[in-house]
Amino acid sequence: MASINIAVIGAYGAGKSSFVQRAFRLQRPPELNISTLRMEIDGTRYLVTLIEIDLDGFKDLDPGQSIQWPKQIDGHMLPPMPDGALILYDVTNTDSIHDVSPAMTFLANASIPTILVATKCDTPASIRQVDMNAVAHSYTSCIAHLRISSNIPGGARETLWTMIDAILASRRAEAQERPQRSASRRRAASAANLDAPPEANGRPMSQHSKHSRASSDFSLLKGFAPPSGDGPHHRSQLSRSPRMEYLHAQYGASSPQPSDIPEDGPPHTLRTPGIRLEKGSGSFLDVEESDPESHRLSDDVAMMARNQDYLEDEAPKLAGVTFDELIDRIIAPKMTRADTSFADIFLCLYRKFATPCELMSALLSRLDRLRDDTDMPSLLSIESQMRVIEVVAKWLSLYPGDFARRATRRRLEGLISHLATNEVFSAAARQMKGNLEQKVVDDDDTWWAKADPVDEDDEEAGRDVGRRLAESVTSLQIDESDTYDRRRPSHSSDLSGADPTAKFTYHSIEDYEREAAALVPSPLLPMNKIRYHTFMDIDPDIVADEITRIDWIMFSSIRIRDMVRHVSLPADQKEKCRSLKNVNRMVSHFNHIAQWVSNMILVRDKAKHRAPCLERFMVIAQRLRTLNNYNGLAAVLAGINGTAIHRLAQTRNLVSQDVQKRFARLVLLMGTQKSHFAYRLAWENTPLPRIPFIPLHRRDLVSAEEGSRTFVGPNNDRINWKKYEVLGEVLLPVLRSQGQPYPNLTKHEPSRELILDMNMPTDEEDIYQRSIQVEPSTGGESTTRKKFAWLVSKS
């Protein structure tokens, strides 16, 4: 079934949910940020999806790069890039129009047709704060500028029709022009081959050549001329702005000037160029269609959509895929980025439905088949075999624990011995042999999920490995009495002298694990005025850098499979999984930072002393956002917005209004509205290096893991790969983020001591009672309530 995806963009309070409710005729505003309705237009069924997006999410994006849309939310896949966009603004609130320009820039660069929609137009003109005429002049790239109000229920519905018609008209124009463009390119290439030197490559270049197609495609959406004498559906190219075309189509030749936006009448009396909206009907007439009755909505089935498979009208096809189909895909040529991502997802998650021995046997059978195929040309055979070998080498490099059992290891050793005899593959054989001898140990990967059977050799090897691991762990254990000293520069091989700052270099995940083990909080230093003054004397940027350094070390110590195990293993098995301590450590550190922020603010008794500390943490939060440390940012926000601090009205009133305004934007960025959509949009468009908001990504994994079955089909023997695609969309961005470290992080010992070595209250009730003590309640506020709802459970 064809789909139409429309972004509904607007500032907080602009009326996005109300618009979706009225456009889809829902009984109540949607709770989720994505809603879908099935429509029939011209005899073709469409899934029309409206995706609510916070306008503030565009503010911090780079206008020079193409926007990346979130691929999943709460463990469910999102539609691709929208086909059109509706930008809503509130005529009673000037703040709703402030961030429209960045959004318009992104949409124009992406050639997405856009309509500006003024909401709450039923309010008296005397209390409106936005001049709609000025807005119309400012954003002439829009195909229309409409207005809706609550006293005209059909306005949102007609606005939706306008957007749909523009999208379909754009698709038809694109389909008609595609053969012409192809023919033009062939003619140009032919002429270039005849007349131009060979290095011209048959293609004229200009400074606009890279974007000529996008620009021409977008221009098709700017407007159509009124019908001419050549026929009822004749379309001509106009040089006037689309804004003027819109007004001309509405009022005819005697229409007022473009600045005269109509002040009364429902939106369905307004006409967008090339579109006639029939008042009082549920249909519209497109410029290329002659039968107004053919556009009729039927079978309006509204749903708060995530899984849309059951809506498809095509002949049902067998659900899921077989294991052999997955093997064939992983060794196929990598033609797109999705093919490369598939290999990463498969190698990470295949243990949920197959053992390492089964995978190794399947790859070896493909390799033998290619080797024995005498009809295949030699070079093609070598290239095909190399793809299989690359999969094995990558698998061994990323997950060496999968080869700890004898059954799989024996097969790999045989493969390496055979490859070593072939000069073409000898280099790959040497590399795999080195990884096999140095990296393969019995670890959590060995025992996880679908595991190879254990034989006597494996038991003996496991005991040897266990003894070696126990010895290494003993040598790495940090005694509580010696913890503080071990962190000193004189005890670290990475630090020299007593310099409070030093740069670290890590070469492997084991290096990060060892360093992360030394970053566990130790309550050694009393929290008093001395620590307060020490904190106030340190540059906020240095404190933020140290928070980011610690977060990066803990984040980099997490193996990607550990995140899957953390949400899929039952509680009794989690205790046996050694590597889960890295995930638990980062979760605990998140809570520690939030508690530390709250306690530092509450150290002083007077509001005039607490306010500078609160303001400094707000500045630190802004620096963390600049560093793309979303985990640290969320932890600081949790401390500031926790009940114990949020109630300190006297303290907040002394904080600079400018700082509070910038801080409010961070709160919106990390807010929970519409399943954290503002954060998700920012995350998808944030360059490396970056640190994700771990609790949210963990929740997405839980939703994907629990929301779908692993096996489907009549006999439950086919793999539900859609589930693993969703898991992959959660895990791959995290995996890529670990591949790019921060280049200039340095250790700052005074900041590290303040963050990790403070002896402070960690009980929620104690922190809240301290808040009541320094700033008593004015009445009506309970002194015994649950605090810190943001704390993340480890379970």
Side-chain angles (χ1 to χ4, degrees), residues 123 137 167 513 543 670:
T123 56
H137 281 297
I167 293 172
E513 288 179 333
V543 177
M670 302 302 295

Side-chain angles (χ1 to χ4, degrees), residues 331-472:
I331 64 175
K334 305 297 186 293
M335 306 300 294
T336 64
R337 183 179 299 178
D339 294 333
T340 304
S341 299
F342 172 81
D344 294 330
I345 299 171
F346 180 87
L347 292 177
C348 177
L349 301 173
Y350 83 92
R351 292 286 298 273
K352 303 283 284 183
F353 49 82
T355 66
C357 187
E358 291 172 343
L359 174 57
M360 192 67 191
S361 298
L363 292 173
L364 290 178
S365 67
R366 265 67 172 184
L367 193 61
D368 292 339
R369 195 181 308 161
L370 291 170
R371 189 184 305 120
D372 298 338
D373 188 355
T374 58
D375 295 333
M376 183 181 297
S378 176
L379 291 179
L380 183 58
S381 177
I382 292 174
E383 191 269 340
S384 299
Q385 293 180 60
M386 185 60 73
R387 290 200 304 268
V388 181
I389 296 170
E390 286 176 354
V391 171
V392 177
K394 184 175 185 179
W395 177 21
L396 174 61
S397 175
L398 294 176
Y399 308 105
D402 289 356
F403 297 86
R405 295 282 169 84
R406 192 63 184 168
T408 306
R409 185 184 183 111
R410 187 181 296 114
R411 286 171 170 78
L412 179 60
E413 290 173 345
L415 173 63
I416 293 174
S417 299
H418 178 78
L419 295 178
T421 61
N422 190 320
E423 184 178 353
V424 176
F425 306 124
S426 59
R430 287 193 298 271
Q431 179 183 356
M432 287 192 289
K433 184 177 181 180
N435 287 335
L436 181 62
E437 295 175 349
Q438 300 173 14
K439 299 178 64 175
V440 173
V441 295
D442 190 318
D443 60 12
D444 291 330
D445 283 344
T446 306
W447 298 85
W448 178 53
K450 296 279 188 179
D452 292 334
V454 182
D455 56 28
E456 294 181 359
D457 293 338
D458 290 327
E459 292 179 352
E460 182 62 29
R463 285 191 289 269
D464 293 340
V465 171
R467 285 192 293 269
R468 292 197 300 270
L469 288 176
E471 294 173 358
S472 62

Side-chain angles (χ1 to χ4, degrees), residues 474-492 517-522 524 749 752 757:
T474 302
S475 65
L476 289 173
Q477 283 181 345
I478 302 174
D479 185 71
E480 291 184 0
S481 61
D482 193 37
T483 300
Y484 184 70
D485 291 335
R486 282 180 182 269
R487 295 175 183 156
R488 296 300 183 187
S490 59
H491 288 78
S492 174
L519 296 176
V520 178
S522 299
L524 300 174
E749 185 64 23
R752 191 211 57 76
D757 292 341

